[in-house]
Amino acid sequence: MATPAASASLVQLFRLQAPLRAGCRALHMLAGEPQGPVVKTDIPGPRSKELLTELSAVQQAGSVQLFADYERSLGNYLVDADGNALLDVYTQISSMPLGYNHPDLLRVLDNPYNVKTLVNRPALGVFPGQDWPKRLSSILTQVAPKGLTQLTTMMCGSCSNENAYKNMFIRYRRQQRGENVDFSPEELQSCMINQAPGSPSLSILSFHGAFHGRTMGVLSTTHSKAIHKLDVPAFDWPIARFPVYKYPLEDNERENRAEDERCLAEVEDLFEQWKKKGCDVAGITVEPIQAEGGDNPGSPAFFQGLQRIAHKHGAALLIDEVQTGGGPTGKFWCHEHFDLPSPPDVVTFSKKMLMGGYFHKADLTPNLPYRVFNTWMGDPGKVLLLQEVLKVIRRDELLSVVRAAGDVLYKGLRGLEQEFPNILSATRGRGTFLAVNAPSPKVRDDLVSRLRAKGVQAGGCGESSIRIRPALIFQEQHAHIFLDIFRQVLKETK
């Protein structure tokens, strides 16, 4: 394993190799990376355990798996405090677009102008920098989902969904009230004590297994794990069944089509039920692939049906691309796989986009200031980094890299599923955004733990799924390393 000094020189080498193109793409993206995982200690090792004791003295740290050495981590490899180099196929819960210490991102801070952007962090809703409109138009709107002309920047995925729900409620009430109709005195007074008509009885429809965040409002639409929701008051909002398909998909088309139809019929019925209760559904919130809830994908037909139902009832369709946005499914936005006849009303993002926010249609823009507002409204520093990420994605054709590596991963997982049918099942996903099921939560947790012991950082989701979430620079050779180690783990499973 490289020493810290050697690691620094590797980063320099990584920088020098960066200008190479096309045929040398695989070489320059791996320059300086370990050739494979290096495991020196148990994981977590002695130093991680010492640090965990320190951290636990001041906060609840039971979720911490290890402590990282981010100076020595590089590319697709996460180095921990004990010097173990792990092939990271989880990447900070799907949030590292270019892996660790990518040279193009490091160079962002070589520019003094960019440093001042980081130091002088503005309240963007009131005092944006003079370059802010140009940055939005030249960076974020360049990757806007087709047909979505408006953008609201935020800090994280939860607050993006939280505020997007407000946009949907505001639009729905404007439709009910009529355009350019002022608020009544009753509305102005009653909202101050959380009563109707100012605080209307409206709802957002979500799905069993969904995860949209942990803040108060979006928590009412999160249904993945009880630990997220216990003891916290929630809205009585409709929850529909999300499709649960049989795999492999190509062998179960009739059954899965019927599953889509059942779920869509339930969505339609819930709209009617909640209207009768006097709590209209103002919007649908849905992930293209339910991530935290178990990597459950929805078909194009399912999402096309959702859009029809939403529009029929005057509700907005929000597609939550916090995990799937930014390229991991082989397209920049996962909903591009669905051939929707018109754009979604709202698309939220975070994670691989490095900042939060949402694109939306013009009719969801409030016509008054401060209705969707907070102090920071995003972070210009993250936009600077995103600018470089997008340049690298285009320059190095990373969406094609994702598709190629994803094809190796998918075929490899299907092969392991056939070789170990008593352990693995239901390989699924798009691009490198993949998952496979274990027979039980206990077996899943054991497999993830033993992968880590052999130098692979993976993650779980749902009841018993292992999820794969590598960086966009994860290539075919990395896929083979992962699959070889996974096969060793499976062979040793009793």
Side-chain angles (χ1 to χ4, degrees):
M1 185 64 199
T3 65
S7 179
S9 65
L10 292 177
V11 173
Q12 292 172 352
L13 175 61
F14 200 32
R15 289 187 179 206
L16 291 171
Q17 294 289 334
L20 298 177
R21 298 290 184 269
C24 297
R25 185 167 63 235
L27 172 64
H28 91 258
M29 298 185 85
L30 292 175
E33 277 192 344
Q35 295 300 304
V38 177
V39 179
K40 297 179 173 183
T41 70
D42 292 338
I43 304 173
R47 181 57 181 152
S48 277
K49 291 177 179 177
E50 289 176 7
L51 292 168
L52 182 59
T53 299
E54 290 181 28
L55 185 61
S56 297
V58 295
Q59 66 177 229
Q60 167 53 256
S63 60
V64 174
Q65 298 179 14
L66 56 81
F67 285 81
D69 183 342
Y70 289 114
E71 288 190 38
R72 299 175 66 189
S73 299
L74 188 62
N76 292 283
Y77 285 84
L78 172 66
V79 177
D80 74 3
D82 292 279
N84 301 297
L86 311 180
L87 177 64
D88 193 351
V89 299
Y90 192 43
T91 58
Q92 310 293 321
I93 319 177
S94 193
S95 64
M96 298 286 290
L98 303 182
Y100 298 97
N101 288 310
H102 193 282
D104 290 81
L105 297 189
L106 294 177
R107 276 194 292 268
V108 170
L109 299 184
D110 291 342
N111 184 336
Y113 179 85
N114 292 342
V115 173
K116 289 178 181 178
T117 299
L118 295 175
V119 170
N120 300 299
R121 184 176 181 182
L124 286 168
V126 185
F127 307 108
Q130 60 183 345
D131 61 350
W132 188 235
K134 181 178 180 180
R135 287 200 179 279
L136 292 184
S137 63
S138 64
I139 302 170
L140 274 160
T141 60
Q142 296 303 306
V143 293
K146 186 178 180 180
L148 301 189
T149 61
Q150 301 296 298
L151 167 66
T152 301
T153 52
M154 286 287 163
M155 289 304 303
C156 67
S158 291
C159 61
S160 299
N161 286 323
E162 188 89 31
N163 284 283
Y165 291 4
K166 290 166 61 179
N167 286 70
M168 294 195 289
F169 288 134
I170 290 167
R171 186 189 79 159
Y172 196 83
R173 283 294 291 138
R174 189 169 67 238
Q175 291 172 339
Q176 290 182 325
R177 189 184 292 114
E179 293 291 339
N180 302 317
V181 176
D182 204 358
F183 306 113
S184 69
E186 291 79 14
E187 288 175 314
L188 294 171
Q189 293 165 13
S190 60
C191 74
M192 299 304 291
I193 55 172
N194 305 331
Q195 299 292 320
S199 295
S201 181
L202 295 173
S203 62
I204 301 291
L205 184 144
S206 56
F207 293 88
H208 292 287
F211 184 89
H212 297 290
R214 296 180 176 88
T215 51
M216 280 291 291
V218 292
L219 197 57
S220 290
T221 59
T222 287
H223 315 289
S224 54
K225 290 183 177 68
I227 196 65
H228 302 323
K229 297 172 67 71
L230 284 165
D231 298 331
V232 182
F235 292 109
D236 179 20
W237 287 350
I239 311 167
R241 176 179 174 181
F242 194 83
V244 178
Y245 297 133
K246 292 184 178 180
Y247 295 91
L249 294 175
E250 61 270 19
D251 296 339
N252 295 280
E253 291 183 5
R254 181 176 59 83
E255 294 89 339
N256 293 335
R257 185 165 54 250
E259 174 72 353
D260 280 343
E261 291 169 357
R262 282 192 293 271
C263 293
L264 290 170
E266 183 177 352
V267 169
E268 181 74 62
D269 184 58
L270 286 169
F271 266 84
E272 298 296 339
Q273 287 184 40
W274 253 253
K275 179 173 284 292
K276 290 177 181 177
K277 291 173 61 172
C279 187
D280 287 7
V281 176
I284 297 172
T285 183
V286 63
E287 300 156 273
I289 302 173
Q290 286 189 332
E292 183 76 15
D295 264 39
N296 308 309
S299 71
F302 174 71
F303 281 92
Q304 292 164 15
L306 278 185
Q307 188 175 58
R308 285 194 297 271
I309 294 169
H311 289 178
K312 172 184 173 182
H313 292 276
L317 175 63
L318 182 156
I319 296 188
D320 177 349
E321 295 241 28
V322 167
Q323 278 220 26
T324 52
T329 69
K331 291 182 181 289
F332 199 86
W333 302 107
C334 186
H335 74 266
E336 294 179 279
H337 291 282
F338 300 153
D339 296 321
L340 296 175
S342 61
D345 296 287
V346 186
V347 174
T348 56
F349 61 84
S350 190
K351 294 206 180 272
K352 280 187 170 62
M353 295 288 284
L354 302 182
M355 63 179 294
Y358 50 101
F359 296 99
H360 55 93
K361 291 181 178 177
D363 66 347
L364 277 106
T365 303
N367 56 9
L368 293 172
Y370 294 105
R371 303 206 72 189
V372 175
F373 181 85
N374 59 52
T375 298
W376 281 327
M377 296 292 291
D379 183 350
K382 295 297 190 293
V383 175
L384 292 175
L385 293 173
L386 177 61
Q387 181 177 33
E388 295 305 312
V389 168
L390 297 177
K391 285 180 182 178
V392 174
I393 289 174
R394 289 189 290 266
R395 184 193 72 201
D396 296 335
E397 301 175 12
L398 291 187
L399 295 184
S400 65
V401 171
V402 167
R403 291 191 290 270
D407 187 56
V408 172
L409 278 175
Y410 181 80
K411 290 177 179 176
L413 288 171
R414 285 290 301 275
L416 292 175
E417 183 182 331
Q418 293 165 8
E419 187 176 356
F420 303 96
N422 59 323
I423 308 176
L424 299 182
S425 64
T427 299
R428 59 201 181 277
R430 298 179 183 273
T432 56
F433 198 101
L434 297 169
V436 65
N437 284 356
S440 70
K442 181 179 179 181
V443 173
R444 186 272 310 281
D445 293 345
D446 177 63
L447 292 173
V448 171
S449 177
R450 288 190 292 121
L451 277 168
R452 188 181 303 116
K454 290 183 181 291
V456 172
Q457 178 64 43
C461 62
E463 288 294 319
S464 56
S465 297
I466 298 171
R467 55 175 157 176
I468 312 301
R469 298 287 193 275
L472 303 180
I473 62 169
F474 184 91
Q475 299 184 47
E476 294 176 50
Q477 59 264 41
H478 300 106
H480 288 299
I481 292 170
F482 165 74
L483 292 166
D484 288 345
I485 294 174
F486 197 15
R487 187 171 186 275
Q488 294 173 29
V489 169
L490 293 168
K491 286 178 68 176
E492 296 167 1
T493 301
K494 298 179 181 179

